[in-house]
Amino acid sequence: MRRDTFLKSLAALAAAGTLPLSAQAAAAIKMMLPANPGGGWDTTGRAVGKALQDAGVASSVTYDNKGGAAGAIGLAQFVNSNKGDPNAMMVMGAVMLGGIITGKPPVSLSQATPLARLTSEYNVFVLPANSPFKSMAEVVAQLKKDPGSVKWGGGSRGSTEHIAAAMIAKAVGVDPAKINYVAFRGGGEAISAILGGNVTVGGSGYSEFAEYITSGKMKPIGVTSAARLKGSNVPTLKEQGIDVEIGNWRGIYGAPGISKAQRDELVAMIEKATKSKAWAEALQKNDWTPAWLPGDAFAKFVDDEFASLRAIMAKSGMI
């Protein structure tokens, strides 16, 4: 084949999106982070961006933080501004599903394109260092005495820590509708409120509180996992006689209206990124559990999660 004919064929393949990843130029990725800086989605998105670059599949990654309404504000901007864009990605997770169920935003997650689930993480509940309480048992005793006096602080309404707080109340015989839950727009705001003693109990993914637990600024009193987390001595809720187990997970969506070939290419890029040194370091640093689930399997998982969360939230009196 003549050189000019070969180059024209290569250009045509690239334009059609069928050129192998190894032969394509690395993409300039736009990453929507539908939360304020400092939280789990922000950390996850920036870790993914770094891994994409480390793996050589992204030439650059730009980030857009848009917090509020459990990610619905960022979702709306992502859906409305990136139709058909094969280089746009958005971080999301269980929190967004809960927020959509309770908030009923005008945009739907189904308008975007599911790419892959990345990680799973359990919540930890903590007390401020100067709290008068010393354990989950003492918090539960106060909850039974006066539900409104216990202020639970965490992510947006419908987040996994919100659902967990309602589940704890139900499990100990308290009306979940009476819990006093304070929602924050981002992880940074929740951390500040806990450190300042403005809430009774704080909840989030373990990685978000790890440095404050290690330094003694927060006292962990329970995790939502079935067994104690690796390398941690924090007791599970089940160990303490509270039959509650709930996990958090995070994933990546692509823009609305992209082709199946474009979706598959993005999934391949993300999978390559998850095998990079940068991603391995992020998993270790943040105590994330890998939970890879791509494409159609991820789409089905999200549908099933919506159904499961609706059932839990209905039983807990949240919807």
Side-chain angles (χ1 to χ4, degrees):
M1 183 185 289
R2 288 175 49 190
R3 183 174 182 275
D4 58 342
T5 303
F6 172 75
L7 291 174
K8 287 178 181 177
S9 299
L10 206 60
L13 285 170
T18 55
L19 193 64
L21 279 172
S22 59
Q24 290 187 37
I29 297 296
K30 298 185 296 183
M31 186 75 70
M32 166 58 71
L33 308 173
N36 291 340
W41 287 349
D42 181 68
T43 304
T44 300
R46 292 177 191 275
V48 171
K50 184 178 180 182
L52 287 166
Q53 290 178 287
D54 188 49
V57 292
S59 58
S60 64
V61 182
T62 55
Y63 305 96
D64 186 7
N65 285 90
K66 193 67 63 175
I73 294 174
L75 171 63
Q77 180 173 310
F78 182 75
V79 166
N80 294 326
S81 303
N82 296 285
K83 291 177 182 175
D85 187 344
N87 293 329
M89 295 184 186
M90 179 188 72
V91 179
M92 52 73 69
V95 172
M96 182 174 284
L97 271 57
I100 289 172
I101 292 168
T102 58
K104 300 179 177 63
V107 292
S108 169
L109 185 59
S110 63
Q111 292 173 258
T113 305
L115 299 178
R117 186 184 66 189
L118 297 172
T119 62
S120 183
E121 186 176 23
Y122 289 98
N123 290 114
V124 60
F125 285 103
V126 299
L127 299 171
N130 62 352
S131 172
F133 301 112
K134 303 301 179 186
S135 65
M136 181 60 80
E138 291 184 11
V139 171
V140 167
Q142 181 62 29
L143 185 68
K144 290 179 176 179
K145 185 187 300 182
D146 182 5
S149 68
V150 178
K151 293 174 68 175
W152 303 81
S156 301
R157 179 173 168 78
S159 63
T160 52
E161 54 267 32
H162 185 189
I163 295 169
M167 291 172 72
I168 289 170
K170 187 172 186 294
V172 301
V174 174
D175 183 355
K178 292 183 178 180
I179 67 168
N180 182 1
Y181 186 82
V182 183
F184 294 97
R185 288 167 60 91
E189 290 182 11
I191 287 169
S192 295
I194 296 162
L195 294 177
N198 297 319
V199 294
T200 310
V201 187
S204 190
Y206 194 94
S207 64
E208 293 181 50
F209 290 163
E211 66 176 286
Y212 303 101
I213 291 171
T214 302
S215 67
K217 293 179 179 178
M218 294 181 183
K219 178 179 174 57
I221 56 173
V223 292
T224 62
S225 52
R228 293 194 182 195
L229 301 178
K230 184 179 178 181
S232 167
N233 288 319
V234 183
T236 68
L237 294 174
K238 287 192 170 184
E239 278 182 68
Q240 302 177 71
I242 303 169
D243 190 17
V244 170
E245 178 186 343
I246 183 171
N248 194 2
W249 55 266
R250 298 184 181 115
I252 299 284
Y253 265 59
I258 60 174
S259 67
K260 183 180 184 301
Q262 289 171 327
R263 183 204 70 170
D264 292 346
E265 183 180 323
L266 288 174
V267 171
M269 288 170 61
I270 297 168
E271 184 172 17
K272 192 170 182 180
T274 63
K275 296 177 181 177
S276 69
K277 180 181 177 182
W279 185 247
E281 290 173 349
L283 291 176
Q284 183 175 5
K285 177 183 177 182
N286 296 291
D287 293 316
W288 292 335
T289 300
W292 177 255
L293 192 67
D296 292 339
F298 177 48
K300 183 180 184 305
F301 168 80
V302 171
D303 288 342
D304 291 344
E305 279 286 283
F306 260 123
S308 177
L309 280 175
R310 280 193 187 95
I312 291 172
M313 294 164 82
K315 288 180 181 177
S316 299
M318 294 174 61
I319 55 174

